[in-house]
Amino acid sequence: MVRVAAVQAAPDFLNLSGTLDRLESWTERAAQEGARVIAFPETWIPGYPAWLDSSPEAALWGHAGAKDLFLRLMENGVKVPGPAVDRIAKLAKAHRATLVVGVHEPSGRTLYNSVLTFGADGTLLNRHRKLVPTYSERLVWGQGDGRGLKVVATDAGRVGGLVCWEHWMPPARQVLHDAGEEIHVALWPGLQEMHQVASRHYAFEGRCFVIAAASILRVKDIPGELPLAAKYQTAPEDLLIKGGSAIIAPNGRYLAGPVFDQETVVVADCDLSEITKESMTLDVSGHYSRPDLFELKLRSSS
């Protein structure tokens, strides 16, 4: 039996130091509830660039505001290795928890949408860069590679993760299924209906537990360099990203959540023996596969 948690909270938007402070506070809260695997949302450090969807000027060629915000993301990103990674590693070790965090990762002059997985001893077990930024996200992030598309062994089970629309990439899903994933972290900005569908489908297909982690973002947090479209110009405390975090069992049912419109920690106990029980009817890497017909190859170094 493994207790897991999805942290649904607002970062200190575009502020690395402040967001790391919040990471410590929310991790401590989840650990106090007994969570052994703690997950944070997509690019939570230092916040998902929601202006890509909410500002009509975001994609204008040569827009000074867009360039300024890209600079802020680069300056407040998490370099690997680097001081922020060291701080997160110490946090995981202090709470003896597997910690999975979505970050903006600068590398050279390119920014990546990355997932960092730390073991309970503080070791950085994996760095996965989102393979294909979705639509307008390509204005901000570069394409990742296959080196981090793997599952890692932790004292809480075998843990893997994908970011947002990677959950609609069948080969990426199958690679993690074939690696014997037991606990999957699905990192999203917010978990609207189709994101819920994708997360539940992943749990059912992979016969694994899914921690679906979503963020909270208020209107007032969007920087003025890219003004919001009229339909988003509501009260400052209104939410642009409303959460929806949940924990899902291997048969697709909700164990906890989804929870919307509030900052919270979503917690559930996962009985890993349920994975084997549900595999009696479906095992996409075993008796429900046809390796004589299909072959999947991952080019991890490309």
Side-chain angles (χ1 to χ4, degrees), residues 96 127 234 252 263 273:
R96 300 297 301 171
R127 172 184 58 186
T234 55
E263 292 186 289
S273 70

Side-chain angles (χ1 to χ4, degrees), residues 9-217:
D12 187 359
F13 201 57
L14 301 184
N15 185 316
L16 174 60
S17 177
T19 300
L20 288 173
D21 290 343
R22 295 189 185 188
L23 180 80
E24 290 187 357
S25 177
W26 282 102
T27 299
E28 181 177 2
R29 178 170 168 178
Q32 286 176 346
E33 296 198 36
R36 294 172 57 196
V37 182
I38 303 171
F40 285 79
E42 178 180 3
T43 56
W44 195 77
I45 303 176
Y48 182 81
W51 60 82
L52 294 173
D53 295 323
S54 57
S55 173
E57 301 178 28
L60 290 179
W61 186 268
H63 192 282
K67 294 179 180 179
D68 289 341
L69 291 178
F70 182 77
L71 174 63
R72 289 175 66 181
L73 285 175
M74 290 288 285
E75 291 177 339
N76 287 273
V78 176
K79 294 183 179 179
V80 183
V85 168
D86 294 341
R87 185 172 172 182
I88 301 169
K90 290 179 182 178
L91 182 64
K93 185 175 181 179
H95 293 290
R96 300 297 301 171
T98 297
L99 191 56
V100 183
V101 187
V103 305
H104 292 269
E105 182 203 349
S107 180
R109 295 176 182 173
T110 297
L111 195 63
Y112 294 96
N113 178 334
S114 298
V115 183
L116 305 181
T117 301
F118 297 84
D121 63 354
T123 301
L124 178 59
L125 298 176
N126 193 32
R127 172 184 58 186
H128 167 59
R129 291 173 171 173
K130 187 175 183 179
L131 300 176
V132 181
T134 304
Y135 196 51
S136 58
E137 292 176 353
R138 298 178 198 189
L139 294 169
V140 173
W141 297 311
Q143 289 193 324
D145 56 49
R147 284 175 290 183
L149 197 61
K150 61 184 179 181
V151 172
V152 295
T154 77
D155 63 354
R158 295 183 58 77
V159 177
L162 292 174
V163 186
C164 202
W165 278 39
E166 287 185 320
H167 291 88
W168 283 297
M169 297 180 72
R173 297 200 312 266
Q174 190 63 47
V175 165
L176 297 190
H177 298 336
D178 289 348
E181 192 177 33
E182 295 174 310
I183 299 172
H184 175 79
V185 179
L187 299 89
W188 304 89
L191 271 151
Q192 54 190 281
E193 180 186 5
M194 287 306 298
H195 300 169
Q196 299 284 342
V197 170
S199 299
R200 296 183 70 186
H201 172 267
Y202 191 98
F204 185 92
E205 178 183 79
R207 289 322 203 210
C208 62
F209 291 90
V210 169
I211 309 170
S215 194
I216 292 288
L217 184 64

Side-chain angles (χ1 to χ4, degrees), residues 275-291:
I275 293 171
T276 302
K277 294 177 183 179
E278 294 300 331
S279 296
M280 184 180 77
T281 49
L282 178 67
D283 178 5
V284 296
S285 299
H287 63 76
Y288 219 93
S289 67
R290 288 294 303 272

